[in-house]
Amino acid sequence: MTGIRLLFSLFLLGLCVTTARAQVEVSLKMGRNNYVSGESVPVAVTVTNRSGQDLVFQGNSRVGWLEVVVNTLSGNPLTPLGQPSFGTVKIPLNQAMSRTLDLAQLYSLQTSGNFSVYAIVHLPGQNSQGFGSNRLTFNMNSARPYWTQKVGVNNKPGQSREFRVLEFNNGSKTMLYAQVIDSRTGGAMRTHPLGEVLMFRKPSVTLDNRQVMHILYLMSPEMWGHVRVAADGQLLGRELHKRGAGSDPVLLTSRDGIVQVGNSIPYDPKAEAEARGKMRKASDRPTF
């Protein structure tokens, strides 16, 4: 008799857990699982309301309605940089809400290592309990410096920045990164992934008269990328170039310190797509 009661209790417990899980569905997605220390680590959180009614999510002074938890693979939790506020969100019945968060803004991920992440959503009145998401794993990797240069900061005596161009091989491709370091703290202010680089043509890097870093690198056998990064870490622009007459594109610096790409043909993929569309429309016309 005792065994039957125990089985019945376990059945009811399982039924309650299943019902609770069905009320709110939480899922995480990441575009990749390998990142370089210092770059953004975006994760998309999707919350679906299956509760049978509209739900309003809002936190309190103790806990927010959305928690994102990052652990080492050994199970040790990382300490959040603060308690982020995600505001008040209303999700109608059978509707979903998605947000993309940067884990590098929520946790210190400056060092290399392997980590896991999951999310917990709390209904109003829930402090310790909630609805959990799937668990994802990701890796923070150190990249090899390809080029570095320290510069002073305009109008800020004693302060300096370090420009870095990094290369990282993820096992199948070599990826290029642009990074700006605060020399006082040693931390990365910004790290920009530039995509794949073909290293049989070495990237060219230089600074102009405004302390802007210019990077010219081979992205594919026929395409070069030109990226400009300011001393505050801001990505100022990214342009595409094809080979001009004769040799490869090069970075040219004028006497007054202006940097431009020479021996190239600027490439605009949007303009080329529009031109192809016009050609297709013309070819669709009937012939007489």
Side-chain angles (χ1 to χ4, degrees), residues 4-19:
I4 295 176
R5 288 178 179 175
L6 178 60
L7 289 175
F8 184 68
S9 299
L10 291 175
F11 171 76
L12 290 179
L13 177 61
L15 182 61
C16 292
V17 171
T18 302
T19 303

Side-chain angles (χ1 to χ4, degrees), residues 271-286:
E272 181 171 291
E274 291 176 352
R276 288 179 178 176
K278 291 179 181 179
M279 291 178 61
R280 283 196 297 268
K281 289 180 181 179
S283 64
D284 290 341
R285 296 174 183 172

Side-chain angles (χ1 to χ4, degrees), residues 32 34-41 109-110 139-144 166-168 175 177 179 191:
R32 50 194 168 99
N34 274 308
Y35 297 87
V36 166
S37 300
E39 74 168 307
S40 297
V41 184
L109 298 173
Q110 297 284 344
N139 309 312
M140 301 303 299
N141 304 277
S142 58
R144 187 175 74 87
L166 309 173
E167 59 175 301
F168 170 68
M175 313 301 288
Y177 293 81
Q179 187 178 74
T191 303

Side-chain angles (χ1 to χ4, degrees), residues 30 32 51 77 88-89 131 136 150 181 201 227 230 268 283 286:
M30 300 179 76
R32 50 194 168 99
S51 67
T88 300
V89 174
F131 302 94
L136 300 176
K150 287 187 177 181
I181 299 292
R201 291 286 192 275
V227 173
D268 185 345
S283 64

Side-chain angles (χ1 to χ4, degrees), residues 47 57-60 63-67 85-89 91 97 99 120-124:
V47 181
F57 296 89
Q58 55 186 358
N60 54 45
V63 62
W65 67 267
L66 173 61
E67 285 187 85
S85 175
F86 299 106
T88 300
V89 174
I91 304 180
M97 179 278 302
R99 285 191 177 182
I120 303 174
V121 169
H122 301 279
L123 291 175

Side-chain angles (χ1 to χ4, degrees), residues 3 5 9 29 35 37 90 95 125 131 141 169-170 217 219 226:
R5 288 178 179 175
S9 299
K29 286 186 179 180
Y35 297 87
S37 300
K90 179 180 180 180
Q95 297 295 310
F131 302 94
N141 304 277
N169 191 302
N170 61 13
Y217 62 103
M219 303 171 60
H226 174 219

Side-chain angles (χ1 to χ4, degrees), residues 116-262:
S116 67
V117 58
Y118 64 94
I120 303 174
V121 169
H122 301 279
L123 291 175
Q126 287 183 324
N127 290 326
S128 59
Q129 298 179 342
F131 302 94
S133 74
N134 55 313
R135 188 184 300 262
L136 300 176
T137 59
F138 64 97
N139 309 312
M140 301 303 299
N141 304 277
S142 58
R144 187 175 74 87
Y146 171 79
W147 182 93
T148 65
Q149 178 66 58
K150 287 187 177 181
V151 298
V153 180
N154 290 333
N155 302 319
K156 293 183 179 180
Q159 295 191 29
S160 63
R161 303 283 186 263
E162 182 177 352
F163 286 108
R164 292 180 180 178
V165 177
L166 309 173
E167 59 175 301
F168 170 68
N169 191 302
N170 61 13
S172 60
K173 299 177 181 179
T174 300
M175 313 301 288
L176 204 66
Y177 293 81
Q179 187 178 74
V180 178
I181 299 292
D182 185 337
S183 298
R184 180 177 59 86
T185 64
M189 298 174 60
R190 295 291 297 274
T191 303
H192 300 285
L194 306 184
E196 184 179 2
V197 58
L198 303 182
M199 293 301 290
F200 61 82
R201 291 286 192 275
K202 297 299 182 182
S204 299
V205 191
T206 192
L207 301 179
D208 66 16
N209 57 2
R210 297 181 297 119
Q211 292 186 334
V212 171
M213 177 171 62
H214 293 252
I215 309 169
L216 183 67
Y217 62 103
L218 185 62
M219 303 171 60
S220 69
E222 297 182 351
M223 193 72 64
W224 274 258
H226 174 219
V227 173
R228 294 171 288 118
V229 180
D232 62 359
Q234 182 181 358
L235 184 66
L236 299 179
R238 187 194 307 250
E239 297 86 31
L240 300 176
H241 295 263
K242 288 188 174 182
R243 181 184 288 108
S247 58
D248 295 340
V250 293
L251 290 178
L252 301 176
T253 304
S254 65
R255 291 183 178 180
D256 53 1
I258 297 175
V259 176
Q260 294 180 325
V261 179

